[in-house]
Amino acid sequence: PSAAFGMVVGQTDHMAAHRVAEDRCSAGGPGCRPIHTFTAACGAVAHGVKRSPWALVMTSDPSTFVVTTIGGGSGATQQVAEQEALADCRSRDPRAQCRIVASQCGRG
């Protein structure tokens, strides 16, 4: 898995939102595919990470961890979206440490 993702909030056209998200994701590397589509006010993305085999400890430095999965979530509030993204991430890789990497709310 790649650490790249594309997140779009506040776009009213589904196809346009998908294109923008795909473009943003592809800019970060190949292998992008949709994992979460939402119509709620807020969205969030969580990375599931594990310590890199070349690192003694895992820190916030990307060279110390490997992204194993990405989870998405949505909800009426940013907190709900983040909780859903963490739960989705944990369900995809229960042994990974899940971290919120992006969250945003659109205009209501």
Side-chain angles (χ1 to χ4, degrees):
S2 167
F5 63 91
M7 184 169 138
V8 178
V9 176
Q11 178 65 257
T12 57
D13 180 85
H14 175 76
M15 292 306 293
H18 184 79
R19 279 191 303 276
V20 171
E22 196 169 64
D23 289 346
R24 289 179 182 174
C25 185
S26 295
C32 293
R33 61 180 173 38
I35 61 162
H36 194 80
T37 301
F38 60 93
T39 57
C42 302
V45 177
H47 279 169
V49 298
K50 292 182 181 173
R51 184 179 56 83
S52 168
W54 301 282
L56 293 175
V57 294
M58 187 168 62
T59 67
S60 60
D61 181 339
S63 69
T64 67
F65 60 85
V66 176
V67 176
T68 62
T69 192
I70 296 180
S74 58
T77 67
Q78 186 171 345
Q79 180 180 7
V80 170
E82 289 178 359
Q83 289 171 344
E84 189 176 300
L86 289 170
D88 184 42
C89 175
R90 289 183 192 114
S91 74
R92 293 172 188 269
D93 186 351
R95 294 179 294 190
Q97 179 181 340
C98 293
R99 302 173 174 176
I100 295 296
V101 293
S103 62
Q104 185 178 350
C105 294
R107 297 177 202 197

